[in-house]
Amino acid sequence: MRDPSSPASPLDAAAPPAAASPLTHFDAHGQAHMVDVGAKAATHRVAVAEGRISMQPATLALIEQGSAKKGDVLGVARVAGIMAAKRTSELIPLCHPIALTRVALDFALERERSAVRVQATAETVGPTGVEMEALTAVQVALLTIYDMCKAADRAMVMGDVRLLEKRGGKSGHFVAA
């Protein structure tokens, strides 16, 4: 990295700028940067993400009956997901800190799959989206379920994490297939 106060290197002038990247977190020179959202309109933005943790049927029964040794697994996972969404910009280097207006987590016990499905909804009114906050909430909720149940089942598998829907902003409405 060049000190911006020092004179430009002859190499800087000789190298033409690279083509603009379709990835917004890279500048024309291919270097990572935080996207400038200062000129973007503040709009209502919503993102919904989901993920799943598969486990032994006996572990799912512990969660359902509320008899896991560490307590209310889904209640703690809900709080952990909300807390994680609020700290996303501290975890993901180029995310903007945003004022969340709502974070909600819902859990579905999938007995036929012996799994818990986590769905997180994040909302804000601002110049940038909340997809990363919803995805972070899901991931941390899944990790919390694992942590709270690992004494009974270390073979749990987390996966299927994805963005389901995104609304608001210039790129419009997205719904996963």
Side-chain angles (χ1 to χ4, degrees):
M1 286 186 134
R2 184 178 70 77
D3 178 348
S5 64
S6 67
S9 160
L11 294 176
D12 292 340
S21 171
L23 301 175
T24 59
H25 286 88
F26 292 97
D27 65 16
H29 299 284
Q31 296 186 16
H33 74 105
M34 190 173 199
V35 175
D36 181 358
V37 297
K40 292 173 75 177
T43 61
H44 180 234
R45 296 162 186 266
V46 180
V48 181
E50 76 171 358
R52 160 178 297 105
I53 183 166
S54 301
M55 60 196 67
Q56 297 172 11
T59 308
L60 186 62
L62 288 174
I63 292 171
E64 187 171 20
Q65 296 161 6
S67 56
K69 285 184 180 181
K70 291 186 177 183
D72 177 10
V73 173
L74 301 183
V76 174
R78 176 176 286 108
V79 173
I82 292 167
M83 291 174 65
K86 293 174 11 179
R87 301 195 67 168
T88 299
S89 68
E90 295 175 34
L91 300 169
I92 311 297
L94 300 177
C95 281
H96 292 84
I98 60 174
L100 292 167
T101 57
R102 177 174 176 254
V103 178
L105 279 87
D106 294 305
F107 300 90
L109 302 179
E110 298 178 337
R111 289 174 195 85
E112 68 286 348
R113 294 178 76 163
S114 191
V116 176
R117 184 175 53 83
V118 178
Q119 184 173 314
T121 302
E123 295 188 41
T124 192
V125 175
T128 190
V130 288
E131 298 91 343
M132 294 307 298
E133 287 73 11
L135 288 162
T136 300
V138 166
Q139 293 279 17
V140 170
L142 292 171
L143 286 167
T144 301
I145 293 169
Y146 186 94
D147 178 55
M148 294 192 68
C149 296
K150 68 183 181 237
D153 184 357
R154 293 197 188 275
M156 291 177 282
V157 176
M158 293 167 271
D160 300 328
V161 176
R162 66 187 185 132
L163 181 67
L164 293 175
E165 183 177 8
K166 169 242 173 274
R167 294 190 307 262
K170 188 171 70 171
S171 63
H173 194 174
F174 163 83
V175 177

